[in-house]
Amino acid sequence: MLQTCNNRVAFFLASLRGGGAERVMLNIAISLVAHGYSVDLILVKREGEYLKKVPDTIRLIDLGSRGALNSIPHLVRYFRREQPSFIFPSLPHISLVTLAARYLSRAKSRVVIVEHNTLSQSVQFAQTYKGRILPIFMRLLYPLADRIVAVSTGVADDLSISLNTPRHCIEVIYNPVVTSEILALSREPLSSPWFTEGAPPVILGIGRLTHAKGFSALIRAFSKVRETSPCRLIILGEGADRPTLECIISELGVSSDAMLPGFVENPYAFLKGSALFVLSSLWEGLPTVLIEALACDTPVVSTDCPSGPREILEDGRWGKLVPVNDDDALASAISESLTSPRLSIPQISWAPFTLEETLSKYLAILRSTD
């Protein structure tokens, strides 16, 4: 694939809802502007909590489509008009649309797919027929991509097997998670009375309220811990599973000590102020919030789900790993963590996930000619 000579780079996302993939791609986009690139942020639909974080230096393009598939004609016109040198789509359905639109437009733009999730798990737990047949179209179209980037070794290995793609064709670049802004935000004060001196320790979960995050298991584990030790639970995030989770909280009789505040602007202050962060996911790609917890010097417990936690925690060196969807094991790890002396988490635990480290690898892609 020939490279165009302009320095315009595009990022293509479904929206800017409050998820890890959206946040990290926005961080990369902002940083590329500082390195002299003209950056477009293309959205299937202009919505999401992170819209307010898009600076004026980035051109925001709203395709205004009802869905990814309907955005193909708009994206074809964009390719023909702008001819970006590179475009980085995130999430499989967005990547497929990008490859189709690039082919139809006959543009010379180079497509670099960024995979954030473990495909086999996403397909296994897919709620729709489209989600279950996704790998068929990925096997057909992904070979048209100029490069494929996976956010963890686990994601890369799984993608290689799922798509029958040679592993050497997939490169691993960790997400740019830790920034100076995050570290500064973590030091902001919290007004909640749950974080006052002498209050029971707070256990924190963060993520979209969906089945994949395993929050029902976290609530059940919390209920067991609470029977013997005073503690509280906060789960930050919003999503379709809110009614179900609220029902579980009510049924277990822990409403006075469990809170679902929704999406918050500064989750890092909550991380810094909590006694423990728990990742209860059934599957991940590279869980951003687990890295953020380490950077905020917060003890962690995580399920040993595919993929990312074992990779991030170096086989349990930086936090406890427990089996997926095991309430008793999760409760035991939480109890042990709350009663153990709190040790400082060294910078080497999160050093591979800094913005500087990751950005250098994206810049190398942009400067490549192969």
Side-chain angles (χ1 to χ4, degrees):
M1 177 66 61
L2 294 175
Q3 183 177 3
T4 58
C5 60
N6 67 50
N7 71 337
R8 183 164 299 283
V9 177
F11 292 82
F12 186 24
L13 301 166
S15 68
L16 282 177
R17 294 167 58 197
E22 291 83 356
R23 186 162 68 249
V24 299
M25 297 313 285
L26 183 57
N27 283 343
I28 296 171
I30 292 172
S31 299
L32 289 182
V33 172
H35 281 77
Y37 289 90
S38 300
V39 176
D40 290 341
L41 185 57
I42 307 169
L43 304 177
V44 173
K45 187 177 292 186
R46 185 189 177 111
E47 62 180 11
E49 297 86 350
Y50 292 133
L51 279 173
K52 63 185 71 174
K53 294 184 178 295
V54 180
D56 293 338
T57 51
I58 290 178
R59 184 169 62 168
L60 193 59
I61 297 175
D62 176 21
L63 300 184
S65 301
R66 289 176 295 173
L69 198 59
N70 292 320
S71 70
I72 290 179
H74 304 287
L75 195 59
V76 168
R77 287 193 289 271
Y78 169 82
F79 272 124
R80 289 173 176 167
R81 182 179 67 249
E82 302 296 340
Q83 294 280 332
S85 56
F86 284 84
I87 184 167
F88 294 84
S90 290
L91 304 180
H93 63 297
I94 297 297
S95 297
L96 291 171
V97 163
T98 303
L99 291 167
R102 200 258 312 254
Y103 174 79
L104 292 171
S105 69
R106 299 186 180 278
K108 296 178 181 179
S109 306
R110 304 176 73 184
V111 176
V112 181
I113 290 172
V114 183
E115 284 294 320
H116 289 268
N117 291 314
T118 307
L119 179 61
S120 64
Q121 299 298 305
S122 299
V123 172
Q124 180 182 342
F125 293 98
Q127 301 293 311
T128 65
Y129 177 71
K130 289 180 180 178
R132 291 190 291 273
I133 66 171
L134 199 59
I136 297 174
F137 296 98
M138 294 171 71
R139 291 188 194 104
L140 289 172
L141 293 182
Y142 269 37
L144 299 178
D146 294 276
R147 298 174 86 149
I148 301 175
V149 170
V151 299
S152 72
T153 300
V155 168
D157 293 344
D158 181 82
L159 190 66
S160 173
I161 295 169
S162 298
L163 301 186
N164 194 27
T165 298
R167 177 62 180 79
H168 67 83
C169 293
I170 305 170
E171 55 194 300
V172 175
I173 301 180
Y174 288 140
N175 280 335
V177 177
V178 184
T179 65
S180 57
E181 180 189 15
I182 285 177
L183 299 178
L185 288 171
S186 72
R187 293 188 286 269
E188 290 190 354
L190 287 166
S191 58
S192 170
W194 281 21
F195 292 93
T196 55
E197 187 175 352
V202 172
I203 300 162
L204 185 67
I206 302 177
R208 286 183 183 154
L209 306 185
T210 62
H211 174 70
K213 299 303 179 182
F215 288 135
S216 57
L218 173 56
I219 295 169
R220 290 192 295 267
F222 161 72
S223 176
K224 294 174 182 179
V225 174
R226 183 175 171 270
E227 291 175 359
T228 57
S229 304
C231 56
R232 286 169 169 163
L233 174 67
I234 296 177
I235 300 177
L236 303 179
E238 197 52 80
D241 278 10
R242 171 178 284 276
T244 300
L245 298 177
E246 288 176 337
C247 186
I248 294 172
I249 289 171
S250 178
E251 288 176 351
L252 293 174
V254 296
S255 299
S256 61
D257 289 319
M259 186 190 306
L260 303 177
F263 177 86
V264 299
E265 289 290 340
N266 182 9
Y268 315 110
F270 283 83
L271 276 171
K272 188 75 171 178
S274 296
L276 181 69
F277 171 74
V278 179
L279 185 88
S280 52
S281 299
L282 306 184
W283 74 89
E284 288 281 355
L286 186 80
T288 298
V289 69
L290 188 59
I291 300 164
E292 292 170 341
L294 295 177
C296 291
D297 199 25
T298 304
V300 301
V301 168
S302 175
T303 54
D304 190 13
C305 69
S307 302
R310 181 169 289 276
E311 203 169 328
I312 293 167
L313 299 179
E314 293 188 23
D315 298 323
R317 182 183 181 187
W318 309 121
K320 297 182 185 300
L321 291 164
V322 301
V324 173
N325 221 8
D326 187 331
D327 304 354
D328 291 331
L330 191 59
S332 177
I334 290 172
S335 294
E336 186 177 341
S337 296
L338 290 178
T339 55
S340 298
R342 181 163 176 166
L343 303 176
S344 181
I345 299 172
Q347 184 175 340
I348 59 171
S349 66
W350 48 265
F353 311 100
T354 60
L355 178 58
E356 294 77 14
E357 181 73 18
T358 296
L359 186 62
S360 66
K361 296 178 180 178
Y362 274 93
L363 287 170
I365 290 177
L366 295 177
R367 292 164 181 164
S368 66
T369 57
D370 59 332

